[in-house]
Amino acid sequence: MNKKRYVLWTSSIVAASLWLSGCQLLTGYQKIDEAESATAWAGKIQPISGEVNIACIGTYHCEIARIDKVPVIAADTHEPINPAMLVAMTTVSGKEAGYIGSNRVQTTMKMDMTPITNKNEIKIVPLSASGMAGLTNYYTRLKPAKREVQVNFYPENNLGYVERFAMIHDFVEADTYQLRAYQKKSSESSGSLLDTASPEPLCVELYQGNKVQRRFCKELGSEHQGEFVETGTVKAKSAKSKDTKTKA
């Protein structure tokens, strides 16, 4: 799919934090000076009553590859597979766009955030610039239901290295859910060259709002090597017990 170019609805936009404690997100930009050559981003997740928002964060780049049996973001183009799923854009200009007294003709775009009515419908919203140049972070809008979500995480600034994560979860409550990836520091170190060279395991936490609901970590042992295994529901998170580092 050819990448579409849109005009940002403001002349500059600062990426908003996704309010996760202890993690500063990779936004890939601070300010857009040339609105005419920029892609239109929401800048932050926009909750809509009765809907579930699903986003992924925490590595250089990540993308929701599939929800249930519906492909969402293509692994080769890193763009929405079905253009009809992308939120529609409407043209806004003049006073409606907030430009008054300017000698320059301003054309901006506004995202159509009309509520979803079909329980099987999925909408894709451009969220922000990625930590990888030229890519965009997206989030999805859908109705509450039990879903299988597949996500591609890119822990390094390298599209050739991808960690594929899949999870089934009952998104029963209309809310914002975020899958945050991070690398877990080992609490024990033998100091051997093998341990030093081994990569720290990747973990993924499911947030509902600001609370962690589930945690999965990639096993390095022989029994489940290369698999993400759930480590149990997280009840609370203590500031003293933080043993993680993030790319975000």
Side-chain angles (χ1 to χ4, degrees):
M1 163 180 173
N2 294 329
K3 291 187 177 180
K4 296 183 179 179
R5 301 175 67 86
Y6 301 104
V7 180
L8 192 61
W9 67 74
T10 54
S11 60
S12 65
I13 182 169
V14 177
S17 169
L18 294 182
W19 64 79
L20 292 180
S21 173
C23 181
Q24 183 178 358
L25 305 184
L26 281 172
T27 60
Y29 70 100
Q30 293 296 326
K31 185 177 180 181
I32 302 296
D33 293 320
E34 298 296 331
E36 288 76 5
S37 63
T39 300
W41 298 305
K44 62 180 179 180
I45 293 176
Q46 301 179 25
I48 296 176
S49 178
E51 291 187 11
V52 165
N53 299 308
I54 304 177
C56 61
I57 57 172
T59 48
Y60 281 94
H61 181 69
C62 63
E63 52 206 20
I64 298 174
R66 181 183 294 269
I67 294 179
D68 296 331
K69 295 182 179 181
V70 181
V72 179
I73 304 297
D76 52 352
T77 64
H78 309 285
E79 293 289 345
I81 293 176
N82 184 356
M85 294 170 62
L86 195 63
V87 293
M89 301 281 180
T90 56
T91 304
V92 180
S93 60
K95 293 183 179 180
E96 186 180 358
Y99 298 103
I100 301 175
S102 173
N103 294 326
R104 185 177 171 190
V105 176
Q106 300 287 349
T107 302
T108 62
M109 302 300 291
K110 182 179 179 181
M111 292 185 179
D112 180 8
M113 301 302 281
T114 302
I116 292 173
T117 57
N118 187 330
K119 67 177 182 179
N120 296 320
E121 186 177 7
I122 298 174
K123 283 294 184 181
I124 306 171
V125 185
L127 178 60
S128 65
S130 166
M132 287 187 179
L135 300 186
T136 296
N137 291 326
Y138 296 90
Y139 74 91
T140 57
R141 297 169 44 204
L142 54 162
K143 283 292 187 180
K146 189 173 185 178
R147 308 277 186 177
E148 180 180 1
V149 180
Q150 298 180 29
V151 181
N152 290 337
F153 287 100
Y154 296 84
E156 299 177 358
N157 193 8
N158 173 15
L159 289 175
Y161 171 33
V162 57
E163 294 280 5
R164 294 178 173 84
F165 171 81
M167 174 197 71
I168 296 176
H169 185 77
D170 194 354
F171 297 92
V172 65
E173 297 181 19
D175 208 339
T176 294
Y177 298 82
Q178 299 173 41
L179 288 161
R180 190 197 94 178
Y182 64 93
Q183 285 184 302
K184 182 180 179 181
K185 279 187 177 181
S186 176
S187 58
E188 298 180 0
S189 176
S190 65
S192 69
L193 289 177
L194 180 60
D195 288 340
T196 303
S198 298
E200 294 167 344
L202 192 71
C203 294
V204 177
E205 290 179 340
L206 172 67
Y207 277 76
Q208 180 180 352
N210 293 327
K211 296 182 179 179
V212 182
Q213 301 296 324
R214 302 173 70 181
R215 177 184 293 130
F216 305 81
C217 287
K218 198 162 189 180
E219 292 294 313
L220 300 181
S222 57
E223 185 178 354
H224 298 286
Q225 189 169 9
E227 296 180 10
F228 282 96
V229 177
E230 186 163 10
T231 61
T233 303
V234 180
K235 298 293 184 182
K237 208 169 191 178
S238 170
K240 293 182 180 180
S241 66
K242 288 181 181 178
D243 62 346
T244 64
K245 68 176 183 179
T246 67
K247 295 285 184 182

